[in-house]
Amino acid sequence: MSNPYAWLEQSLKTIHRADWYRSVKTIQGSLGAVVALDGQEVINFASNDYLGLAGDKRLIEAATTAIQEFGTGSTGSRLLSGHRQLHSELETAIANLKQTQDCVVFSSGYLANLGAITALVGKRDLILSDQYNHSSLKNGAILSGATIVEYLHGDIEAVKQELHRTRNNYRRCLIITDSVFSMDGDLCALPALLDIAEEFNCMVLVDEAHGTGVLGGSGAGCVEHFDCTGRILIQMGTLSKALGSLGGYVAGSKSLVDFLRNRAPSWIYTTALSPGDTAAALAAIKIVQQEPQRRDRLWKNVAYLRQLFAELLPHLQLLPSQSPILCFQLANAGDAVRVGKELISAGIFAPAIRPPTVPTSRVRVTMMATHEREHIDKLAQALADSK
Ligand SMILES: Cc1ncc(COP(=O)(O)O)c(C=O)c1O
């Protein structure tokens, strides 16, 4: 009898052969700059917890209090039984941070992108998407049914030319881009994109997953960093990185948010963000606003690692980056995996990132505000020792 699932084994073999096989690693105990990984203590350069808030006592206390008051689950979608005052408070706090009229929180950043994009555009519309965009933007675009034109990474001139040629063939146009590219660490050319969008009557959705809490004077993100606060655009982000919790959001005009509450399927038809996650994110927003010294510390750490790379590791080519994500490229997936393993042996957790996540293999290092100088010294030493 033939087995309709036999192809799974074959596919797994192919994945192994290409050195693309991936599996989970278990982190034990509490989160921070040093963690226990599969029983071994390692310095953590693998997390998106840029401000070190995921293990912060105040977030833990806020989540615990909310769970005691409201329970563990939210029991339904926001439009049915799932809405709490806490959700409104969090949405107001994010809108306040971003200086937008309103905000809506989703149960994850991935769902925020899927929901927003599928609500905003459809078959008669055009999406222009950076080649290096996050999977959630790409899959949101596919799901929307719009025509997708993927432009070469950061190629603003290509965006302009495409719009010149084809804008009139479509009803709406949406430009989608990461603000901080998650697997490279560089920034999108937001001011130029917004100018082009204005010229060609396009909407812009910018994914601030890695910008929120990290970039800008008040931690509002890349939009603030580029002095674009107040310009008309759609700001999406996640609560799961610098904000140390779980969930996503879309911030923008009142009408945008009102529309999404009526039309975004991944908000309407899914269970509301849990009370614990909501309360933790709310506590994190307050810390982002009240403790700019955390951001200062993060950027000092980034500058220090860059200095060590320049002094001690000239053979390792850092990819262009203006964020706490620093990557150096390796010849192939096998080399990236080998260096990742050598680093683990030396007590450093910095993962190999390989195709299909990225076009070229690399090791990705993410900095935290809570790294000490000696942590960064150890990383540089381990890289210097690696062959
Ligand atoms: C750029 C970007 N957008 C969206 C997401 C999805 O966010 P979440 O993890 O909250 O689903 C991520 C991270 O996972 C990301 O890096």
Side-chain angles (χ1 to χ4, degrees):
M1 219 168 61
S2 64
N3 174 1
Y5 303 99
W7 66 271
L8 289 169
E9 288 298 331
Q10 279 312 320
S11 289
L12 277 168
K13 274 186 198 148
T14 309
I15 293 170
H16 271 294
R17 234 180 283 124
D19 274 323
W20 286 14
Y21 184 76
R22 299 191 271 195
S23 60
V24 296
K25 297 177 188 69
T26 308
I27 304 270
Q28 290 108 354
S30 61
L31 297 172
V34 178
V35 293
L37 177 71
D38 291 331
Q40 183 196 348
E41 190 172 277
V42 289
I43 306 168
N44 187 6
F45 290 100
S47 106
N48 299 311
D49 185 17
Y50 300 110
L51 299 177
L53 292 180
D56 190 282
K57 281 198 185 69
R58 292 164 291 180
L59 270 71
I60 294 170
E61 207 173 288
T64 312
T65 307
I67 289 169
Q68 276 160 355
E69 195 170 338
F70 302 109
T72 47
S74 27
T75 77
S77 66
R78 289 284 294 281
L79 292 173
L80 294 178
S81 63
H83 178 69
R84 307 279 179 280
Q85 180 61 26
L86 259 184
H87 292 121
S88 298
E89 285 171 30
L90 176 58
E91 288 168 343
T92 303
I94 297 170
N96 196 322
L97 176 70
K98 303 270 171 185
Q99 295 191 42
T100 57
Q101 288 177 349
D102 208 348
C103 169
V104 55
V105 293
F106 288 71
S107 299
S108 79
Y110 210 108
L111 290 175
N113 271 334
L114 294 189
I117 297 169
T118 52
L120 293 169
V121 286
K123 285 198 173 68
R124 294 156 62 196
D125 305 320
L126 171 68
I127 290 179
L128 289 165
S129 173
D130 190 289
Q131 171 192 26
Y132 285 3
N133 274 344
H134 187 258
S135 155
S136 52
L137 287 169
K138 292 188 178 205
N139 279 327
I142 293 167
L143 209 57
S144 75
T147 300
I148 304 164
V149 173
E150 206 169 72
Y151 55 89
L152 287 180
H153 180 50
D155 191 348
I156 301 300
E157 208 36 55
V159 174
K160 203 164 178 172
Q161 278 171 17
E162 183 64 33
L163 286 168
H164 249 304
R165 271 194 323 110
T166 65
R167 175 66 186 96
N168 288 338
N169 301 341
Y170 299 94
R171 180 183 59 166
R172 299 180 199 135
C173 173
L174 176 67
I175 302 173
I176 54 176
T177 182
D178 282 17
S179 68
V180 178
F181 286 89
S182 57
M183 293 297 145
D184 291 70
D186 57 338
L187 307 186
C188 73
L190 187 64
L193 275 179
L194 289 175
D195 289 345
I196 293 172
E198 239 170 61
E199 187 182 340
F200 290 94
N201 190 29
C202 304
M203 302 177 282
V204 175
L205 185 155
V206 64
D207 180 335
E208 289 271 47
H210 297 269
T212 302
V214 169
L215 284 162
S218 72
C222 199
V223 172
E224 184 186 24
H225 168 82
F226 279 127
D227 225 357
C228 294
T229 309
R231 291 189 72 168
I232 302 173
L233 80 163
I234 301 156
Q235 298 184 53
M236 170 277 163
T238 169
L239 310 174
S240 62
K241 304 196 191 296
L243 300 179
S245 181
L246 182 69
Y249 63 83
V250 177
S253 69
K254 265 219 165 331
S255 50
L256 167 77
V257 171
D258 216 15
F259 179 78
L260 292 180
R261 288 197 180 108
N262 283 276
R263 281 286 185 275
S266 62
W267 185 80
I268 300 171
Y269 302 107
T270 197
T271 302
L273 194 63
S274 81
D277 292 322
T278 311
L282 185 56
I285 299 266
K286 286 181 193 151
I287 295 171
V288 163
Q289 289 175 311
Q290 289 163 4
E291 296 180 8
Q293 62 272 24
R294 280 184 176 264
R295 242 176 338 278
D296 291 346
R297 181 88 193 274
L298 172 65
W299 286 106
K300 282 197 177 114
N301 283 345
V302 173
Y304 184 55
L305 181 60
R306 282 190 165 283
Q307 182 195 326
L308 294 185
F309 260 89
E311 287 169 7
L312 306 174
L313 307 163
H315 59 292
L316 293 178
Q317 200 76 67
L318 279 178
L319 296 179
S321 161
Q322 299 88 42
S323 74
I325 302 167
L326 297 170
C327 299
F328 55 91
Q329 206 152 306
L330 288 142
N332 52 54
D335 278 1
V337 173
R338 177 183 53 75
V339 173
K341 280 186 182 152
E342 282 172 8
L343 289 175
I344 293 277
S345 305
I348 303 287
F349 183 23
I353 311 286
R354 295 160 281 168
T357 307
V358 286
T360 54
S361 297
R362 65 202 64 182
V363 167
R364 177 178 185 260
V365 173
T366 47
M367 302 303 293
M368 295 173 70
T370 46
H371 282 134
E372 302 291 339
R373 285 259 157 144
E374 69 185 69
H375 296 149
I376 305 169
D377 288 334
K378 278 191 183 150
L379 166 64
Q381 192 54 54
L383 287 172
D385 292 344
S386 147
K387 283 135 248 144

